[in-house]
Each structure stands twice: as C-alpha cells, then as structure tokens.
Amino acid sequence: MEEKKVSFSVQMTVKELYRFIMYHAYHKFSGIFGILLAVFAAIALGTSYEQLTEQTRAVLILVIIWFIVLDPVILYSRARGQVKRNKAYKQPLDYIADVKGITISQGEQQQMVEWEKFFKVVETKQQFLVYSTPVYAFIFPKSQMGEEDSRNFHELVLVSTKDTRVQLKGMLKK
C-alpha cells in the first residue's frame, strides 16, 4: 500500500485565527455559559420589561451587549494583534502530513511532530485544528488546503490516530 502524504502551506490571516479563537472560546464552559446568560437576559428583558426596574434593565442590556457584541469584538482584536506580532505568521508555514506525523517547516527551520504527541484533532466546516496542548493548536484552513487535500487529510487523520490517545472531535469520528 502506498504511503499517503498531504502537503500544503498555510499563511495565517486574522480571519482564520479569529475563527480558531471563536471556536476555542465558545466550545468550553465559560463561552457556553456566557451565551446562555445572554439568551436568558434577553428572554427576561423581553418577557418582563415593564415589571423590571431601570437598573435591572440596564444590567440585562449590559449582559447581552457584553456576551453578544463586546466579547467577539475583543476576540477579533486579540486575533488581529497576534497576527501582527507573531513573526511566524509573517511567512507561510509548510506542512507535510503522513502516517508518522506532521512535519512543519518555515525557511530553514523544520520540525516533525508524531501523531502520538498531539492532544486532539478537530474538524470544523472551515478548519482542521490539530492541538498539541489543550489550548495551542495548528490551524489548517480548508480554503488554503483545497478540497482534495482537505479530504485526504481527513482520511489520514483517521488512519494515523487510530491506535493513539488523540481525541477526534467535530466532523472526525473514530
């Protein structure tokens, strides 16, 4: 059987990093709690507006604005700042994935990370997120990988992580 390899380059953009930060923020307890709090605040405001004091209305409106508007704006600002400051994002990163792991290179620097060293791999509609720790991930935008490489990477992840402790989430199923 021929060893499958998937090669692609990623130029990190604010949009792609923002997608990752939003996914990461809203797929943990604090993000889910914030959204639920804003929804309950909106329901309380809508159903009991006349009975509420002005102070209570103001607090509910503040909760809604914080979690629905301000939090995403803050996260976008963080993504923009990271892309500006991080030297690794100035040039594309080149990746070669095979059954052994993922080789990352940029310029003269190169590093290979074996599949067993990864924490989890998540597939969303727009990205593959390959976590090396619970909070740090390699971001592989499908738009930059292309349809064929995205499909091949999906299959490669399934085969390569089969007998590992790597968690598969999202559109990836073990």
Side-chain angles (χ1 to χ4, degrees), residues 15 18 31 55 60 68 88 93 96 114 124 138-139 158 169:
K15 178 181 173 182
Y18 179 63
Q55 185 177 18
L60 292 174
I68 303 299
L93 285 161
I96 300 172
E114 297 170 343
T124 69
F138 294 100
I139 303 166
L158 292 176
K169 304 276 183 173

Side-chain angles (χ1 to χ4, degrees), residues 88-105:
Y89 294 157
K90 301 291 184 223
Q91 298 175 12
L93 285 161
D94 300 312
Y95 298 94
I96 300 172
D98 60 26
V99 292
K100 295 175 190 162
I102 300 175
T103 302
I104 305 110
S105 58

Side-chain angles (χ1 to χ4, degrees), residues 1 5 20 25 27 29 33 36 43 54 65 70 88 94 101 103 105 115 134 147-148 156 159 161 167:
M1 184 171 122
K5 286 187 179 190
F20 165 71
H27 280 82
F29 178 77
F33 179 76
L36 288 175
I43 291 169
E54 283 186 32
I65 290 172
L70 290 178
D94 300 312
T103 302
S105 58
W115 287 108
E147 193 175 318
E148 184 178 345
L156 183 64
V159 168
T161 61
Q167 299 173 30

Side-chain angles (χ1 to χ4, degrees), residues 97-140:
D98 60 26
V99 292
K100 295 175 190 162
I102 300 175
T103 302
I104 305 110
S105 58
Q106 187 176 51
E108 299 298 314
Q109 297 182 338
Q110 185 172 331
Q111 177 185 1
M112 201 276 202
V113 182
E114 297 170 343
W115 287 108
E116 297 84 33
K117 304 275 192 236
F118 291 114
F119 177 71
K120 75 178 169 184
V121 182
V122 177
E123 182 180 1
T124 69
K125 276 185 174 180
Q126 290 107 5
Q127 300 174 323
F128 288 97
L129 308 172
V130 182
Y131 285 81
S132 56
T133 71
V135 294
Y136 178 79
F138 294 100
I139 303 166
F140 302 151

Side-chain angles (χ1 to χ4, degrees), residues 77-88:
S77 178
R78 183 181 303 160
R80 206 171 95 229
Q82 280 184 336
V83 169
K84 265 187 175 177
R85 286 187 307 274
N86 193 328
K87 291 178 185 176

